[in-house]
């Protein structure tokens, strides 16, 4: 299956992508993953992107979208994929269509801003192994402030600080939220209540995909 995961920062896209990977046996991809792979492979468009990167310039959106389209049509994605955090804008979604990329479903994890802000203020992350815990008792570390997996001290990421969360949500509503209407018009949108427990959201996503 070819799936796009939509939802604001903190909605649980990464958590659910990991579960879908295990279930569907397909890769989860980001723009960064595809860009690095194209550069490493030395493809024509990858070399074009590298020329911008080597000069310190931003890679133009049309070059990035060319790389994305090229990568998604490759053998590594023959059995499907999950796009997490891409496309981010209507123009990117339209570019995917022009490149002939067809998806089976756009899964939207729906949750209020107030719930996102509460969640992220409670999140504690390990700077070493990336494990995530909470300070509100729903997924606490065994020892307060210490990672269960590697023993490193837990931190509040800059991305999870209130002012940053507020700004990230504003960007999401302005740039990415319009994708919900875009995919609804095409009959591809499936919505799930992201305020439910992790297991309940997983079950709802399976149901939405007919699994």
């Amino acid at each position: 299956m070819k799936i796009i995961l939509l939802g604001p920062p903190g909605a649980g896209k990464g958590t659910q992508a990991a579960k879908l990977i295990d279930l569907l046996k397909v890769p989860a991809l980001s723009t960064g993953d595809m860009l690095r792979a194209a550069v490493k492979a030395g493809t024509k468009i990858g070399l074009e992107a590298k020329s911008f990167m080597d000069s310190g310039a931003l890679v133009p959106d049309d070059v990035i979208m060319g790389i994305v389209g090229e990568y998604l049509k490759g053998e590594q994605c023959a059995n499907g994929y999950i796009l997490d955090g891409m496309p981010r804008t209507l123009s990117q979604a339209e570019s995917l269509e022009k490149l002939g990329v067809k998806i089976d479903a756009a899964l939207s994890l729906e949750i209020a801003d107030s719930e996102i802000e509460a969640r992220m203020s409670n999140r504690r992350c390990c700077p070493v192994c990336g494990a995530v815990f909470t300070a509100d008792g729903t997924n606490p570390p065994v020892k307060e402030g210490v990672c269960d997996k590697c023993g490193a001290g837990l931190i509040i990421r800059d991305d999870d600080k209130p002012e940053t969360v507020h700004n990230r949500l504003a960007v999401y509503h302005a740039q990415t939220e319009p994708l919900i209407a875009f995919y609804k018009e095409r009959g591809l949108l499936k919505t799930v209540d992201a305020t439910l427990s992790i297991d309940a959201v997983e079950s709802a996503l399976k149901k939405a995909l007919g699994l």
Side-chain angles (χ1 to χ4, degrees), residues 2-209:
K2 299 171 182 177
I3 298 167
I4 289 173
L5 274 180
L6 299 172
K13 296 189 299 298
T15 297
Q16 295 303 327
K19 291 180 175 294
L20 288 172
I21 289 169
D22 289 338
L23 177 67
L24 301 173
K25 308 303 180 187
V26 298
L29 307 169
S30 69
T31 303
D33 292 336
M34 291 180 272
L35 181 60
R36 286 186 291 273
V39 171
K40 183 178 180 180
T43 64
K44 181 179 178 181
I45 199 164
L47 293 173
E48 185 178 355
K50 187 175 185 298
S51 69
F52 287 99
M53 295 162 67
D54 287 347
S55 67
L58 291 175
V59 180
D61 204 39
D62 61 332
V63 176
I64 289 178
M65 294 311 299
I67 286 173
V68 169
E70 186 178 71
Y71 193 87
L72 296 185
K73 292 176 183 178
E75 184 179 347
Q76 64 277 0
C77 295
N79 295 321
Y81 47 80
I82 299 165
L83 292 178
D84 179 4
M86 195 278 155
R88 290 185 181 276
T89 64
L90 279 176
S91 64
Q92 288 186 356
E94 290 165 350
S95 293
L96 282 179
E97 288 193 342
K98 291 175 182 176
L99 291 167
V101 175
K102 296 182 179 180
I103 66 163
D104 296 303
L107 303 174
S108 178
L109 301 182
E110 303 198 336
I111 185 170
D113 285 5
S114 57
E115 179 70 19
I116 289 290
E117 290 167 352
R119 275 189 183 184
M120 296 178 87
S121 66
N122 279 314
R123 191 154 64 178
R124 301 293 182 268
C125 300
C126 176
V128 177
C129 72
V132 178
F133 303 90
T134 62
D136 63 1
T138 56
N139 180 38
V142 173
K143 183 178 179 181
E144 185 176 352
V146 178
C147 177
D148 291 354
K149 296 183 178 180
C150 70
L154 301 177
I155 62 169
I156 299 175
R157 298 187 315 170
D158 288 342
D159 278 357
D160 293 340
K161 292 178 179 177
E163 62 275 17
T164 307
V165 172
H166 180 78
N167 290 336
R168 291 174 70 195
L169 286 170
V171 169
Y172 169 78
H173 290 306
Q175 296 186 4
T176 307
E177 193 171 53
L179 291 173
I180 292 173
F182 179 88
Y183 287 114
K184 185 176 182 179
E185 289 174 1
R186 285 153 177 77
L188 297 170
L189 185 72
K190 310 286 185 182
T191 60
V192 170
D193 181 0
T195 63
L196 302 173
S197 68
I198 291 174
D199 288 343
V201 172
E202 180 185 8
S203 295
L205 288 173
K206 288 180 182 177
K207 184 177 179 180
L209 293 171

